C-alpha cells in the first residue's frame, strides 16, 4: 500500500491539484460485516481508515481509532461484529474532485471539527472513487512545504529585490496557513506532543498539554514527565520500549513496540489515554503522542454499569424472593454473633478460622450472584482483615476475630443494596411468611398416590408425601446461574459462554442442598475468571469464539446421581499447582514427582490455595474450592476433577438424593 510519506513532496505544486497527495486505502461494501472491518485493520497495521462503498460509490468512512473505541466498550463485539459495516461508518465525510484547488480543500479541512483531524478526504474523478487524502498528513505536509517555501523565498530576497512585495505577500499567506493548522491543534480536545530519539519533548506541542500537566512541557524529558502518573509501569519499561523502537527499522513492528507502552492513567483527576504514533521529521523517525481525556466516557460507562446492576438486583429480588430472604437471615445471624459457633469445638483454631473464611467467601459469591454488588465488595474488604488473622498463624486467637467482627455491622454492609430494593418495592418487601410453590402436576401426582393407597396413610407415608412436595428439579437451581454468568462475562470482558443444563431430571430437597447449591458459585466464578479463555486466545487455539459451560445430570440408581460441571477452557495448570505447593511448603519436590495427577489436582481444595498471582473481588483467595468440597462431603457425596490442558476441566459430583 502506498503512503503519503512515500510520495515526492520536494517540489510542492499548488496548481497541480490534489493528485500528488492521493493514497490508496482499502474499501468495503456497506453490506460487509463489522468483522471484515476488524480483520482488515488487524492484518494491515498501517491502514488508518477504510472507505465504505455502495455499488462502487463512497458512502462513508471507518477510521481505526473510532472503530476500536467502539469495540472497546462492554458490548462492542456483540453489537457490531455480525452487523453491516454501514452501522460503523461515519457519513459526515469530506469529498473532493481531484481537480479542486489545494487552497480550497485546505480551508475545508481546517474548518472540520477537531475530532475529524485524522479522517480522510475522499477523492473522485468523473464521479468515480480514485483514492483518499489524509487530512492530518495533508495539513502537516502543507505546513512543512510552506516552511520550505519561506526559506527559499528568503534566499531569493537578496537577489530578487524587485519581487520583494510579492514574496512578502506569499510568505504571509503561508504563515497564515501554518498558524491555522497550529490553531486547529490547540483547539482540539486532545493534547499533541512529539519527540525524537533523545526523548526530549519538542517545543511544538498543543495548549491542551499545558492545561493537563500544569506547565510548559517543551524541552522536558518525556519519561520524567509521564512516568510518575503510571504507578504500575516503572520508567525502565518506557526506556526499554523506546530503545527498541528507535533501533528498529520496520514501520510495521514500530507500531507493535508503541502498543506495548502503558496507555491509561489519571492526571490531575482526569482519566487520560495515551496514543502513540510513528512519524518522521527531517528524515528521522520520531514519536507523536496524542492525549485523550476519557473521563466523561469512563463516568458514563460507570453510570451505565450501576444502572444495569440496579436492574439486575431488582429482577433477582422479585424472582428469587425466598432465596434472598434466607441468605439475608443467615448472613445477619453469622455477623450478629453466630460466628462464635465456628469456634466451640475442640478442633484446631486455624481449621475453625478457615471454616469461617469459607462461609464469608461463599456469602460474597452469593451476594454477587443475586446482584448485591455493594455488599459483595464490602465483604471482599472484610476478607482482607480476616486474612490478616490467618497469617498470624498459631498466635491468632478468638479475640482477634471478635475485634474485627465488632466493627463489622451487617446492616451497614447490606444498606446500599437493600435501599435500592426498598425504594422500588417497599421497606416491608422481605417481611412476612414465605410461600412454598410447586407445580400443579406435582400436586396431582400426590393426589393420585393418596387415592390409590390401600387403607389410611400411615404418619410415615404422609410425611414422605409432604417431603416430596418440597423437592424441586435440580435443573431449576442450576438455571439460576445463567444470568450470573452473563454478569461475570461482563466483569472479565469475555463473551458469554454457551451454558447448557441437560441430562436426567432429579428432584432434591432445597433445604438440604442449600449450602451445596450456594457453594457452586465458586466453580462458575473460577470457570469464567481462570478457565475460559479470552476471545483472542480461543481463536488462536482453534476454538469457537464463545466458550462452553455445561451442567450434566445422570441418574445412577434410586439413591445416587452425578452432576458434572465442565468447561472447554484452558484446563488446570499442573505445573503452577506444583509450584504453589512447593512455595507454601505443602509438599516437597520429591513427593510431588511421585504424586499422581488426580492428587495434584485435588490440591486446589486446600485452604488458601490459589495459583492466581493477585487477589481481586472475583477470585484469588484460595477458599472457594475448599468450600465446595466441604459442602459436597457434608451431603455425603464425593468429588473428582478431570482436566486436560487446552481442553477444559470437569468437576464430577456423586451425590445422594437425600442428604
Amino acid at each position: 500500500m502506498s503512503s503519503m510519506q512515500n510520495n515526492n513532496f520536494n517540489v510542492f505544486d499548488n496548481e497541480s491539484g490534489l493528485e500528488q497527495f492521493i493514497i490508496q486505502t482499502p474499501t468495503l461494501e456497506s453490506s460487509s460485516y463489522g468483522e471484515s472491518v476488524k480483520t482488515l485493520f488487524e492484518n494491515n497495521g498501517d491502514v488508518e481508515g477504510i472507505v465504505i462503498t455502495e455499488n462502487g460509490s463512497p458512502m462513508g468512512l471507518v477510521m481505526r481509532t473510532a472503530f476500536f473505541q467502539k469495540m472497546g466498550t462492554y458490548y462492542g463485539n456483540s453489537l457490531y461484529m455480525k452487523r453491516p459495516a454501514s452501522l460503523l461508518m461515519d457519513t459526515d465525510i469530506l469529498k473532493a474532485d481531484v481537480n479542486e484547488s489545494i487552497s480550497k480543500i485546505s480551508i475545508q479541512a481546517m474548518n472540520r471539527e477537531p475530532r475529524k483531524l485524522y479522517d480522510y478526504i475522499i477523492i473522485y474523478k468523473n464521479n468515480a472513487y480514485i483514492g483518499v487524502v489524509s487530512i492530518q498528513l495533508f495539513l502537516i505536509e502543507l505546513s512543512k512545504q510552506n516552511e520550505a517555501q519561506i526559506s527559499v523565498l528568503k534566499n531569493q530576497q537578496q537577489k530578487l529585490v524587485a519581487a520583494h512585495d510579492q514574496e512578502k505577500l506569499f510568505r504571509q499567506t503561508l504563515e497564515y496557513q501554518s498558524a491555522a493548522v497550529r490553531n486547529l491543534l490547540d483547539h482540539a480536545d486532545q493534547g499533541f506532543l512529539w519527540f525524537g530519539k533523545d526523548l526530549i519533548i519538542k517545543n511544538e506541542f498543543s495548549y491542551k498539554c499545558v492545561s493537563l500537566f500544569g506547565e510548559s512541557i517543551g524541552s522536558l524529558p518525556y519519561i520524567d514527565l509521564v512516568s510518575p502518573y503510571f504507578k504500575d509501569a516503572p520508567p525502565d519499561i518506557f526506556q526499554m520500549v523506546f530503545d527498541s523502537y528507535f533501533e528498529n527499522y520496520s514501520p510495521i513492528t514500530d507500531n507493535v513496540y508503541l502498543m506495548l507502552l502503558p496507555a491509561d492513567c489519571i492526571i490531575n483527576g482526569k482519566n487520560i489515554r495515551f496514543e502513540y504514533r510513528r512519524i518522521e521529521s527531517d528524515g528521522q523517525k520520531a514519536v507523536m503522542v496524542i492525549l485523550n481525556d476519557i473521563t466523561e466516557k469512563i463516568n458514563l460507562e460507570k453510570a451505565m454499569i450501576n444502572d444495569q446492576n440496579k436492574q439486575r438486583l431488582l429482577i433477582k429480588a422479585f424472582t428469587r424472593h425466598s432465596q434472598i430472604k434466607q441468605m439475608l437471615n443467615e448472613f445477619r445471624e453469622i455477623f450478629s454473633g453466630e460466628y462464635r459457633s465456628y469456634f466451640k469445638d475442640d478442633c484446631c483454631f486455624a481449621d475453625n478460622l478457615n471454616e469461617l473464611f469459607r462461609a464469608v467467601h461463599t456469602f460474597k459469591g452469593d451476594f454477587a450472584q443475586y446482584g448485591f454488588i455493594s455488599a459483595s465488595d464490602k465483604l471482599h474488604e472484610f476478607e482482607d482483615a480476616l486474612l490478616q488473622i490467618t497469617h498470624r498463624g498459631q498466635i491468632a486467637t478468638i479475640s482477634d476475630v471478635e475485634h474485627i467482627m465488632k466493627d463489622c455491622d451487617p446492616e451497614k454492609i447490606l444498606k446500599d443494596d437493600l435501599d435500592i430494593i426498598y425504594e422500588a418495592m417497599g421497606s416491608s418487601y422481605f417481611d412476612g411468611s414465605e410461600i412454598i410453590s410447586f407445580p400443579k402436576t406435582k400436586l396431582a401426582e400426590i393426589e393420585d398416590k393418596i387415592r390409590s393407597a390401600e387403607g389410611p396413610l400411615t404418619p410415615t407415608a404422609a410425611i414422605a408425601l409432604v417431603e416430596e412436595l418440597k423437592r424441586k428439579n435440580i435443573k431449576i437451581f442450576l438455571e439460576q446461574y445463567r444470568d450470573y454468568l452473563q454478569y461475570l462475562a461482563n466483569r472479565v470482558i469475555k463473551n458469554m459462554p454457551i451454558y447448557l443444563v441437560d441430562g436426567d431430571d432429579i428432584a432434591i430437597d432445597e433445604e438440604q442442598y442449600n449450602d451445596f447449591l450456594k457453594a457452586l458459585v465458586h466453580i462458575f466464578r473460577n470457570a469464567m475468571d481462570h478457565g475460559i479463555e479470552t476471545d483472542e486466545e480461543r481463536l488462536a487455539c482453534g476454538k469457537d469464539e464463545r466458550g462452553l459451560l455445561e451442567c450434566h445430570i445422570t441418574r445412577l440408581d434410586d439413591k445416587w446421581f452425578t452432576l458434572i460441571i465442565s468447561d472447554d477452557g484452558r484446563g488446570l495448570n499442573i505445573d503452577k499447582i506444583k509450584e504453589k505447593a512447593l512455595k507454601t511448603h505443602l509438599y516437597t519436590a520429591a513427593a510431588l514427582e511421585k504424586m499422581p495427577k488426580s492428587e495434584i489436582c485435588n490440591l486446589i481444595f486446600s485452604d488458601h490455595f490459589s495459583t492466581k498471582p493477585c487477589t481481586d473481588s472475583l477470585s484469588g483467595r484460595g477458599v472457594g474450592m475448599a468450600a465446595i468440597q466441604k459442602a459436597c462431603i457434608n451431603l455425603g457425596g464425593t468429588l473428582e476433577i478431570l482436566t486436560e490442558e487446552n481442553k477444559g476441566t470437569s468437576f464430577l459430583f456423586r451425590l445422594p438424593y437425600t442428604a
Side-chain angles (χ1 to χ4, degrees):
M1 174 176 294
S2 63
S3 64
M4 195 158 73
Q5 290 91 332
N6 293 331
N7 285 310
N8 181 9
F9 292 112
N10 291 331
V11 179
F12 174 70
D13 185 0
N14 191 45
E15 299 300 324
S16 64
L18 297 169
E19 197 164 7
Q20 58 184 316
F21 297 96
I22 292 177
I23 61 176
Q24 296 303 315
T25 195
T27 63
L28 283 174
E29 277 294 303
S30 60
S31 60
S32 300
Y33 283 164
E35 59 189 9
S36 300
V37 178
K38 182 180 180 183
T39 300
L40 267 178
F41 279 135
E42 289 179 342
N43 294 339
N44 299 275
D46 56 343
V47 170
E48 292 299 325
I50 298 171
V51 177
I52 306 300
T53 62
E54 187 169 325
N55 299 324
S57 178
M59 304 298 295
L61 272 173
V62 178
M63 298 305 292
R64 175 183 290 273
T65 300
F67 175 78
F68 282 107
Q69 283 178 345
K70 289 182 178 180
M71 293 303 101
T73 63
Y74 280 104
Y75 301 103
N77 273 310
S78 301
L79 285 175
Y80 299 112
M81 287 298 94
K82 294 295 184 182
R83 303 185 72 184
S86 59
L87 297 177
L88 291 163
M89 71 182 182
D90 183 2
T91 57
D92 182 19
I93 56 178
L94 179 58
K95 297 181 183 179
D97 188 280
V98 68
N99 295 317
E100 288 190 22
S101 70
I102 291 176
S103 299
K104 177 181 177 182
I105 298 304
S106 65
I107 292 173
Q108 291 179 348
M110 287 185 288
N111 286 333
R112 298 277 284 173
E113 297 177 16
R115 63 187 179 88
K116 302 288 187 180
L117 180 62
Y118 300 101
D119 283 6
Y120 288 151
I121 305 170
I122 297 179
I123 308 301
Y124 58 88
K125 185 175 183 179
N126 298 327
N127 294 323
Y129 166 76
I130 61 173
V132 299
V133 172
S134 167
I135 294 178
Q136 177 204 17
L137 297 181
F138 171 64
L139 294 178
I140 291 175
E141 278 302 321
L142 189 62
S143 177
K144 287 182 180 179
Q145 295 303 326
N146 289 343
E147 293 173 358
Q149 290 285 11
I150 290 173
S151 176
V152 170
L153 292 176
K154 283 184 177 179
N155 292 331
Q156 291 179 341
Q157 188 178 28
Q158 298 175 356
K159 302 177 181 179
L160 303 174
V161 177
H164 172 72
D165 292 339
Q166 182 180 0
E167 181 273 335
K168 182 178 179 181
L169 178 62
F170 188 44
R171 174 159 43 88
Q172 288 175 341
T173 301
L174 295 177
E175 289 175 348
Y176 168 78
Q177 292 177 340
S178 296
V181 174
R182 179 58 181 269
N183 184 57
L184 177 63
L185 294 177
D186 278 343
H187 287 82
D189 193 26
Q190 294 172 303
F192 298 90
L193 62 92
W194 70 287
F195 51 83
K197 190 174 183 179
D198 60 0
L199 308 185
I200 301 298
I201 299 173
K202 304 298 183 182
N203 287 322
E204 296 80 19
F205 54 86
S206 67
Y207 178 76
K208 182 72 173 180
C209 294
V210 179
S211 65
L212 279 175
F213 294 104
E215 60 177 323
S216 178
I217 61 174
S219 301
L220 294 179
Y222 178 75
I223 295 179
D224 291 348
L225 176 68
V226 303
S227 61
Y229 299 104
F230 292 92
K231 304 299 183 182
D232 296 330
D236 292 348
I237 296 294
F238 288 90
Q239 190 66 55
M240 180 179 65
V241 172
F242 288 133
D243 286 346
S244 300
Y245 169 80
F246 282 105
E247 291 171 3
N248 183 60
Y249 296 98
S250 168
I252 296 177
T253 50
D254 278 348
N255 291 326
V256 174
Y257 282 123
L258 295 178
M259 288 173 61
L260 297 175
L261 291 164
D264 294 346
C265 71
I266 296 177
I267 301 177
N268 295 326
K270 296 182 178 180
N271 296 91
I272 305 299
R273 176 162 294 164
F274 284 61
E275 183 180 348
Y276 294 88
R277 297 286 183 88
R278 180 189 189 276
I279 63 171
E280 290 189 6
S281 174
D282 297 328
Q284 299 296 316
K285 185 164 56 176
V287 176
M288 172 179 280
V289 185
I290 306 169
L291 309 179
N292 298 286
D293 186 348
I294 59 172
T295 305
E296 185 176 345
K297 175 188 174 185
I298 289 179
N299 290 338
L300 180 60
E301 289 176 351
K302 288 181 178 177
M304 290 176 61
I305 292 173
N306 287 336
D307 287 342
Q308 291 168 0
N309 288 339
K310 287 181 180 179
Q311 293 175 12
R312 180 167 168 269
L313 172 61
L314 292 175
I315 292 172
K316 285 290 187 180
F318 183 74
T319 59
R320 302 286 183 263
H321 177 278
S322 61
Q323 293 97 324
I324 292 177
K325 181 178 179 180
Q326 181 179 352
M327 175 186 72
L328 295 176
N329 291 337
E330 292 175 356
F331 175 74
R332 288 182 171 114
E333 286 178 3
I334 288 181
F335 276 77
S336 297
E338 186 63 25
Y339 67 89
R340 297 184 182 90
S341 63
Y342 287 88
F343 303 93
K344 285 184 179 180
D345 55 33
D346 296 329
C347 292
C348 172
F349 177 80
D351 292 340
N352 295 333
L353 185 60
N354 287 332
E355 185 76 15
L356 176 61
F357 203 122
R358 286 193 290 268
V360 172
H361 196 63
T362 298
F363 273 124
K364 185 178 79 170
D366 292 340
F367 280 142
Q369 181 194 357
Y370 289 120
F372 284 66
I373 304 303
S374 176
S376 180
D377 291 341
K378 290 173 183 175
L379 273 191
H380 184 70
E381 296 175 2
F382 175 77
E383 281 184 332
D384 290 334
L386 205 56
L387 191 62
Q388 292 299 317
I389 298 178
T390 63
H391 288 165
R392 300 190 66 189
Q394 295 182 352
I395 64 173
T397 66
I398 185 64
S399 297
D400 298 320
V401 179
E402 296 273 5
H403 178 72
I404 63 171
M405 281 293 188
K406 181 179 64 175
D407 297 328
C408 190
D409 183 350
E411 298 308 321
K412 288 183 179 180
I413 293 176
L414 299 171
K415 183 179 186 305
D416 292 342
D417 298 309
L418 289 181
D419 282 349
I420 295 173
I421 295 175
Y422 293 157
E423 182 180 357
M425 301 181 180
S427 59
S428 60
Y429 184 69
F430 290 114
D431 296 341
S433 60
E434 295 185 21
I435 298 175
I436 299 176
S437 60
F438 45 83
K440 289 183 178 179
T441 55
K442 192 70 175 177
L443 182 59
E445 183 181 328
I446 299 296
E447 289 176 346
D448 289 341
K449 288 183 179 181
I450 294 174
R451 290 192 180 98
S452 62
E454 296 180 359
L457 290 177
T458 64
T460 301
I463 291 174
L465 291 176
V466 173
E467 290 291 337
E468 194 171 339
L469 283 175
K470 294 167 58 179
R471 301 169 74 85
K472 294 181 181 179
N473 193 331
I474 192 172
K475 292 179 180 178
I476 295 174
F477 304 103
L478 295 173
E479 279 290 346
Q480 293 176 6
Y481 279 101
R482 185 178 299 277
D483 63 335
Y484 181 56
L485 286 172
Q486 181 64 70
Y487 164 75
L488 291 174
N490 294 337
R491 282 285 304 272
V492 297
I493 316 179
K494 297 178 182 177
N495 272 328
M496 166 69 180
I498 297 171
Y499 182 54
L500 301 178
V501 179
D502 53 26
D504 296 328
D505 293 320
I506 302 295
I508 60 171
D509 187 321
E510 179 181 0
E511 185 175 346
Q512 292 179 342
Y513 268 77
N514 180 53
D515 290 344
F516 174 77
L517 294 171
K518 291 196 301 182
L520 289 180
V521 70
H522 303 299
I523 289 183
F524 292 112
R525 287 165 65 172
N526 284 351
M528 289 304 301
D529 200 17
H530 304 297
I532 295 178
E533 309 93 334
T534 62
D535 303 348
E536 293 77 9
E537 287 180 89
R538 294 185 64 83
L539 291 175
C541 293
K543 298 181 180 181
D544 291 337
E545 192 171 358
R546 290 182 67 187
L548 174 65
L549 192 56
E550 182 178 12
C551 301
H552 185 77
I553 304 104
T554 303
R555 185 190 307 275
L556 298 180
D557 52 38
D558 291 339
K559 294 183 178 181
W560 298 90
F561 69 94
T562 61
L563 167 62
I564 302 176
I565 302 178
S566 57
D567 66 66
D568 67 342
R570 300 184 180 97
L572 296 182
N573 190 318
I574 302 299
D575 291 335
K576 282 189 176 181
I577 294 175
K578 288 182 177 180
E579 182 183 332
K580 182 69 174 184
L582 282 172
K583 186 177 180 180
T584 55
H585 307 293
L586 279 178
Y587 292 95
T588 63
L592 288 170
E593 285 300 319
K594 297 178 182 178
M595 192 176 293
K597 179 180 177 181
S598 58
E599 289 187 29
I600 295 174
C601 290
N602 286 340
L603 292 179
I604 68 173
F605 296 124
S606 305
D607 281 311
H608 305 293
F609 190 98
S610 175
T611 58
K612 189 171 182 177
C614 57
T615 299
D616 58 30
S617 60
L618 280 184
S619 61
R621 296 292 191 190
V623 295
M625 289 296 97
I628 187 63
Q629 184 190 46
K630 183 169 181 61
C632 177
I633 292 173
N634 287 344
L635 284 173
T638 61
L639 171 57
E640 181 183 353
I641 302 176
L642 302 175
T643 187
E644 186 176 349
E645 187 175 357
N646 293 324
K647 297 290 185 180
T649 300
S650 296
F651 291 87
L652 193 156
F653 297 92
R654 185 174 184 271
L655 300 165
Y657 284 96
T658 304

